[in-house]
Amino acid sequence: MSPKSKLLLSIVLLRDLHNKVRYYKTIIENNIKRLEFVARYDLKWNKDDVNKELQNLKDLRSCIEIIDIFLEEVIIRLETLVLSERVTLSVMLIKEFLKELKYMLGSSIPIMDIYI
């Protein structure tokens, strides 16, 4: 497998992982909202237990947010790497095209040599 293929596969797998992290993040947010509702209105639950669970979920949420940001940053950097390779190849192709154009037209039309 070529390095470019590995890089593209890595981007796809990281995007998939990033989507899963976002999904878990929304699940945790929903659980936090539910527990906050329970802490306010439901008298059957022990307030200390609910508050401990809320604190644990909030800590987990902050860790998942850090992972979310990290994955997003890595994906952006890898995509930039792929794009920079494409730009480099395009520039090299244009450079070769201009050399060929200069060779073909430069000798017959002197002003074209300057423009190229």
Side-chain angles (χ1 to χ4, degrees):
M1 186 180 270
S2 71
K4 184 176 180 179
S5 299
K6 289 179 183 178
L7 186 62
L8 292 173
L9 178 63
S10 298
I11 291 172
V12 169
L13 293 175
L14 284 171
R15 281 184 186 161
D16 184 48
L17 179 62
H18 191 231
N19 288 335
K20 288 178 184 177
V21 167
R22 285 184 178 174
Y23 171 74
Y24 292 131
K25 186 176 166 185
T26 58
I27 297 249
I28 291 170
E29 287 290 332
N30 291 337
N31 287 340
I32 289 173
K33 288 177 186 176
R34 285 186 190 124
L35 275 177
E36 286 174 343
F37 181 80
V38 166
R40 279 190 219 139
Y41 301 111
D42 198 348
L43 300 176
K44 292 184 274 185
W45 292 84
N46 185 352
K47 296 279 185 190
D48 292 334
D49 292 340
V50 172
N51 287 333
K52 285 179 188 176
E53 188 64 27
L54 266 172
Q55 187 58 43
N56 288 338
L57 284 173
K58 288 178 181 179
D59 291 343
L60 182 60
R61 178 182 59 188
S62 66
C63 291
I64 287 186
E65 285 175 349
I66 291 170
I67 293 170
D68 182 37
I69 292 169
F70 173 76
L71 285 173
E72 190 171 335
E73 199 171 302
V74 169
I75 290 169
I76 288 172
R77 288 182 184 199
L78 289 175
E79 287 174 341
T80 303
L81 186 63
V82 169
L83 286 174
S84 67
E85 179 192 14
R86 289 181 185 162
V87 168
T88 303
L89 290 174
S90 298
V91 167
M92 290 173 54
L93 182 65
I94 291 171
K95 184 179 175 183
E96 289 300 317
F97 173 74
L98 288 176
K99 277 183 186 177
E100 199 61 37
L101 190 63
K102 187 175 181 180
Y103 175 75
M104 290 171 44
L105 296 177
S107 58
S108 59
I109 307 171
I111 193 72
M112 288 304 287
D113 188 33
I114 294 170
Y115 287 135
I116 295 173

